[in-house]
C-alpha cells in the first residue's frame, strides 16, 4: 500500500512537531542574589525575611536581625561505599555545624550567628540552611565571612554591599 502526500508542507509540519516533542527541556534554574561558581559546584546566597525562620512580633524587632539562605551545590560529590562515615560526617556538618564557620561583619565587629535552620533537600549534592545574625540597633552587615572547615570549600569573604566575592 502506497500513501502519497498531497502537500510537502504537511510532512514538514509533522516532522517539526515530532522534533519538538522529542526535544528534552530542562527547567530554568532559580537565580540567586549571589552565585559563586567553581568547576562542578557553586555556592549561593539570598537574603530572606526574618519571619520565615523566626517569630517576629513587630517591625522594630525585625530590624534587629539579618537572615541569609546559604547553599552549597557540589555536582561531583558522591558517597563512597568504602567510607560511609564520611557521608555521615558531611551530613552532620551541614545539619548542625555549618553555622559555626560563618561571621557577619558589622562596622568592623565580628558577629556569630544566633540561629541556624538547615533546609531539607532531596538532592544529596545540595546543602543549604538559613543563618541568622542578631545586629546592633540601626545596623546591617557589610560582609559575610565563611571559614573552611575541611568540607572542600574555600574560605570566602562576601561583600553584601557589592554582592560579590572579595576573596
Amino acid at each position: 500500500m502506497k500513501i502519497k502526500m498531497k502537500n510537502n508542507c504537511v510532512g514538514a509540519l509533522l516532522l517539526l512537531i515530532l522534533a519538538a516533542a522529542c526535544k528534552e527541556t530542562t527547567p530554568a534554574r532559580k537565580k540567586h542574589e549571589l552565585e559563586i561558581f567553581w568547576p562542578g559546584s557553586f555556592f549561593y546566597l539570598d537574603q530572606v525575611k526574618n519571619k520565615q525562620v523566626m517569630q517576629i512580633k513587630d517591625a522594630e524587632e525585625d530590624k534587629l536581625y539579618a537572615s541569609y539562605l546559604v547553599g552549597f551545590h557540589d555536582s561531583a560529590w558522591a558517597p563512597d561505599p568504602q567510607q560511609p562515615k564520611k557521608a555521615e560526617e558531611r551530613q552532620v556538618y551541614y545539619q548542625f555545624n555549618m553555622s559555626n564557620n560563618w561571621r557577619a561583619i558589622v562596622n568592623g565587629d565580628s558577629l556569630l550567628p544566633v540561629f541556624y535552620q538547615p533546609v531539607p533537600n532531596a538532592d544529596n549534592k545540595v546543602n543549604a540552611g538559613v543563618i541568622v545574625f542578631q545586629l546592633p540597633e540601626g545596623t546591617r552587615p557589610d560582609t559575610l565571612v565563611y571559614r573552611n572547615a575541611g568540607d572542600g570549600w574555600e574560605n570566602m569573604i562576601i561583600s553584601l554591599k557589592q554582592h560579590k566575592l572579595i576573596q
Side-chain angles (χ1 to χ4, degrees), residues 70-128:
V70 294
F72 298 88
H73 182 276
D74 189 352
S75 62
W77 187 85
D80 184 356
Q82 302 297 325
Q83 298 180 333
K85 201 86 164 139
K86 287 274 189 193
E88 187 177 310
E89 289 171 359
R90 183 175 190 263
Q91 287 306 314
V92 168
Y93 172 74
Y94 283 112
Q95 289 180 9
F96 302 107
N97 301 323
M98 182 178 66
S99 65
N100 298 335
N101 297 325
W102 284 95
R103 303 290 182 272
I105 308 299
V106 179
N107 297 331
D109 290 332
S110 176
L111 304 175
L112 296 169
V114 293
F115 181 73
Y116 172 68
Q117 176 65 50
V119 176
N121 198 324
D123 184 355
N124 64 1
K125 296 177 185 323
V126 178
N127 292 287

Side-chain angles (χ1 to χ4, degrees), residues 43 72 93-94 98 101-103 144-151 153-158:
F43 163 80
F72 298 88
Y93 172 74
Y94 283 112
M98 182 178 66
N101 297 325
W102 284 95
R103 303 290 182 272
L144 291 180
V145 177
Y146 177 71
R147 300 267 182 220
N148 181 331
D151 62 345
W153 293 89
E154 298 179 9
N155 293 339
M156 293 185 282
I157 300 173
I158 301 164

